[in-house]
Amino acid sequence: MAVTTYINKMLGDPNAREVKRLSARLGQINALEDATKKLSDKQIKTRTEELRKLVQEDKKSLDSILPEAFAMAREGARRTLKQRHFDVQLMGGMALHEGKIAEMRTGEGKTLVATAPVYLNALSGKGVHVVTVNDYLARRDAGWMAQVYHALGMTTGVIVSDLGTPAGFMYDPEYDSKEHSDTRLNHLKPVTRQEAYRADITYGTNNEFGFDYLRDNMVDDVHKMVQRPLNYAIVDEVDSILIDEARTPLIISAPAEESTDKYYQFARIAKQLKEERDYALDEKMRAVSLTDEGIADIEKALGVDNVYEAGRIDDVHHIEQALKAAAVFKRDRDYVVREGEVIIVDEFTGRLMHGRRYSEGLHQAIEAKEGVKIQQESLTLATITFQNYFRLYDKLAGMTGTAATEAEEFGKIYGLGVVTIPTHQPMVRKDLPDRIYKTEVGKFKAVAADVKERHAAGQPVLLGTVSIEKNELLSRILNEAKVPHTLLNAKNNEQEAQIIADAGQKGAVTLATNIAGRGTDIVLGEGVADLGGLHVLGTERHESRRIDNQLRGRAGRQGDAGSSQFYVSLEDDLMRIFGGERIANLMTSMGVDEDTPIENKIVSRSIESAQKKVEGHNFDIRKQLVEYDDVMNRHREVVYARRRLALENQNLRPEIERMLADEFKAVLAAHTDVRTEVVDEDKVLEVIGAIMPLDQAVVDELHKDHHNQWVETLSGYASHLYDAREQQFTPDGMRIAERLTYMRILDGLWIEHLEAMDGLREGIGLRAIGQREPLVEYKREGFKLFQQLLAILEKEVAGVIFKVTIQAHQHHEHDANGVPIKPIETAITKAAAQASISSGGEEPAKAKPKKSATDKVGRNDLCPCGSGLKYKKCGMINAPQHRG
């Protein structure tokens, strides 16, 4: 820090230079305000069309029309929302347009800030995505801001997940659903997902945008794709999405062949193991490791001599996960149990993460621990991390109240600079020094006394806790102190909007988890400012300084009075794990009892140092994750590009005939003696005969030809067979067969590749023992696996194309003569599995068991549809999402 301060003194603060540069363009925008005000509503829309044409015909760049576009957006907001952009809001908008992160304090109107760059970039006609953290905010922001865009002549769509089902809406001022108390939301008309994406501006959550990208790369018809090419995205609460959730992969999965009830047995064994004797617990790393005594106890419980013998490695993995579930993961802190289901609690926001599951069998281990029904394990069909999804956009920008502490990560991972935008009104909030107590009991007693005193004076208080468990404990303490309060956590977050709306009223006491940390502005009630404004009281320091700053940011919005203070004890997780003993010794030497606080700079610096250590550690983990995922991302890009080419290509015959010729060459080479150049003709004909039917005439011709001519002869015969099949099934039918055959084989191989790469990733760390760099080895081994995938793809397409059966199905339409029309469709399109979507793990959100044992088809059995493909490469991948 001292070095940074010295450099800033020598060269000047770089952020101040950025702010000065942005503010220089304000004069151009403000100079256009009076002229823009004189335009009629119709003239504004006409001017939008003129600007759109100039940009799309490359006569004007977006940068050159920025002043006029921003002036138009400001006028649109003034007419519809009765809100005029402040100068600092326009500066934030300029930073967003330039593909940067605008750090703006709470209450500075980030939702309105986005309208100017969104409007400007939408003029390109390529679409703009505005990304929010949850469905409610997506609907709310779209419903509010669509009025501005409509006045400017732009269309607005929104995508959400209604009760787990993808849904789309379009803003239509003439439509009124009369469903919501907020009438602005009633103008969102239900439309198809595709229509919502075709709007000039589309709002949605990070999950929905990411899943739609994966779904689009699983469809069997290009017309079923919903997204356009990814052009420009503005990510609200960008630190939450791109950093806190960066390690969370989006996964589309299908049920695996079978599940196991061994989880319950392993959970019982784990409960019997004793810490220190049977296992060592590392709270910093959130990991457990078995001791020799623990291994012996497990072997005794299982009745085996050696739990590590061949065939039992999976059991060892599941036992370790059961132990982790028992020792590391706590109910009402890491997860809750609701209606027989284990639901993860987001450690950063305190919200329930419905549909997300821990990976590698951990979620099943927790389900067994809690005695609820264990969900079936799954097979990954498609996956991507948020890190790599958002890097697909041509231009990316973000907004948040807290980004500066993670500026290095934004720069290194995403290439995003951070600009801290000044506040419209001076910040007057008082941030009081931390109060440190020796014990948690002493801390909570002091918190209750402080809150009781402020409540009696009428000052509203917002208390923040790091978990549901601590939230409910403090609620009991406040009840004992007879302090009336409102409880807000993931268990009752349905009432969040109303609870937060009342949190600034006189005498209000609101006890919340981190759920109150984002997207919520607390408006002060009458007379509250004279009492000191809202007081934010943090009951524990979070591992991340950003989360603490988010909580502080609830007070002091737009120049309001307010204050904040954190109460800390040496028994808090952060202090206990990171250096609490040294501070405890310091307090003991000072003769401090549990009821006496200290406000000591050394202690405060120790807390901040601990937070920085955790932040650095988490950054290293995320950086390593993206380095490994970059390998998979390159594979993903190639596979999806090939798949898209197959979808869009009207005729794959030339490509498939090339594959056949290459396969003929490979077969001939494989059965030619390299020393004598003698060809095993019988074997060659046997293998070729498995690829395509050979009649006697062509066999006789091959026997007459020199071996150098065999590939040409076979290729000519293959072309003849192709002509015959086209006559039999019609050219259109054959085109469908080609496309679906290619995609189904590619999809099946991709699923296997995901599984293989996941297995490689798990064991690659062991290469370090042999003095080899694991990441380098992972890249090398991954490249070999991917080359095998591409080779097998061509081999299997060539081997299947003449075996695919084509079925005609009855259709309700008739031709002019009353004869039923029979559209052509390949048998490969038959579905045989139920897919599901999840994020945060490799298990499906809700996997459906098979109907009966007799219905079960093995992964390596031939698919019952008659395609000639193995079940894992045909039926298993034809999930509902796969079919659009």
Side-chain angles (χ1 to χ4, degrees), residues 359-371:
S359 61
E360 299 174 358
L362 177 59
H363 208 96
Q364 284 90 343
I366 295 173
E367 288 169 333
K369 165 191 169 183
E370 296 295 341

Side-chain angles (χ1 to χ4, degrees), residues 500-505 521-526 528 534 554 557 560:
I500 291 299
D502 296 337
Q505 302 305 305
D521 284 344
I522 299 174
V523 181
L524 300 184
E526 188 175 345
V528 169
L534 176 70
R554 297 309 100 199
R557 61 187 295 276
D560 284 345

Side-chain angles (χ1 to χ4, degrees), residues 366-651:
I366 295 173
E367 288 169 333
K369 165 191 169 183
E370 296 295 341
V372 301
K373 183 180 178 182
I374 294 174
Q375 299 284 352
Q376 199 173 11
E377 291 192 74
S378 66
L379 187 72
T380 299
L381 304 182
T383 179
I384 193 170
T385 60
F386 285 126
Q387 289 168 317
N388 272 317
Y389 171 71
F390 282 106
R391 292 196 298 178
L392 293 171
Y393 281 88
D394 291 337
K395 184 163 71 172
L396 183 64
M399 307 180 289
T400 182
T402 48
T405 57
E406 312 292 349
E408 180 187 3
E409 182 164 352
F410 282 124
K412 287 185 175 178
I413 303 295
Y414 302 100
L416 293 171
V418 176
V419 182
T420 302
I421 305 297
T423 56
H424 176 60
Q425 299 286 352
M427 171 67 73
V428 297
R429 185 186 69 224
K430 297 177 181 177
D431 293 330
L432 305 172
D434 293 354
R435 304 191 78 182
I436 299 101
Y437 290 80
K438 198 169 185 178
T439 66
E440 187 175 70
V441 172
K443 177 184 71 173
F444 280 141
K445 281 165 60 179
V447 167
D450 188 359
V451 173
K452 188 170 186 176
E453 183 179 336
R454 292 179 187 274
H455 171 68
Q459 183 180 20
V461 181
L462 173 67
L463 293 105
T465 61
V466 297
S467 68
I468 298 173
E469 181 184 29
K470 296 291 174 65
N471 186 261
E472 294 176 341
L473 170 62
L474 188 54
S475 178
R476 291 194 293 272
I477 293 172
L478 291 176
N479 283 332
E480 291 171 4
K482 295 184 171 51
V483 177
H485 61 280
T486 305
L487 194 65
L488 174 62
N489 59 40
K491 291 184 176 180
N492 71 331
N493 64 349
E494 296 83 0
Q495 295 87 42
E496 176 182 356
Q498 187 57 49
I499 292 173
I500 291 299
D502 296 337
Q505 302 305 305
K506 188 175 289 188
V509 176
T510 308
L511 176 55
T513 54
N514 294 329
I515 201 167
R518 292 187 183 272
T520 51
D521 284 344
I522 299 174
V523 181
L524 300 184
E526 188 175 345
V528 169
D530 297 331
L531 299 170
L534 176 70
H535 180 68
V536 169
L537 196 157
T539 60
E540 192 169 335
R541 283 286 194 170
H542 195 275
E543 286 184 353
S544 169
R545 289 171 293 167
R546 284 183 300 105
I547 308 303
D548 291 342
N549 292 338
Q550 281 283 348
L551 183 61
R552 284 193 197 275
R554 297 309 100 199
R557 61 187 295 276
Q558 293 192 355
D560 284 345
S563 56
S564 71
Q565 187 166 36
F566 279 87
Y567 280 60
V568 180
S569 87
L570 300 187
E571 293 177 348
D572 294 346
D573 288 345
L574 181 72
M575 296 301 297
R576 183 172 50 80
I577 298 170
F578 294 92
E581 288 183 11
R582 189 163 55 86
I583 301 170
N585 294 334
L586 174 66
M587 294 181 75
T588 301
S589 66
M590 295 168 63
V592 177
D593 60 32
E594 73 169 27
D595 295 326
T596 305
I598 63 168
E599 293 177 6
N600 187 293
K601 287 184 178 180
I602 296 176
V603 178
S604 296
R605 280 199 297 268
S606 295
I607 295 171
E608 188 172 348
S609 174
Q611 289 177 309
K612 285 180 179 178
K613 284 179 185 175
V614 179
E615 289 167 0
H617 174 67
N618 289 338
F619 173 38
D620 290 341
I621 291 174
R622 289 189 292 266
K623 187 169 180 290
Q624 184 184 55
L625 176 73
V626 80
E627 287 173 343
Y628 277 91
D629 195 54
D630 277 346
V631 179
M632 275 303 303
N633 200 48
R634 285 190 284 275
H635 299 176
R636 186 186 299 112
E637 287 172 355
V638 173
V639 167
Y640 284 0
R642 286 196 173 211
R643 203 178 188 284
R644 184 70 180 260
L645 194 64
L647 272 179
E648 295 176 345
N649 198 331
Q650 296 302 308
N651 188 358

Side-chain angles (χ1 to χ4, degrees), residues 34 93 99 240 278 581 718:
D34 289 340
S240 174
D278 295 320
E581 288 183 11

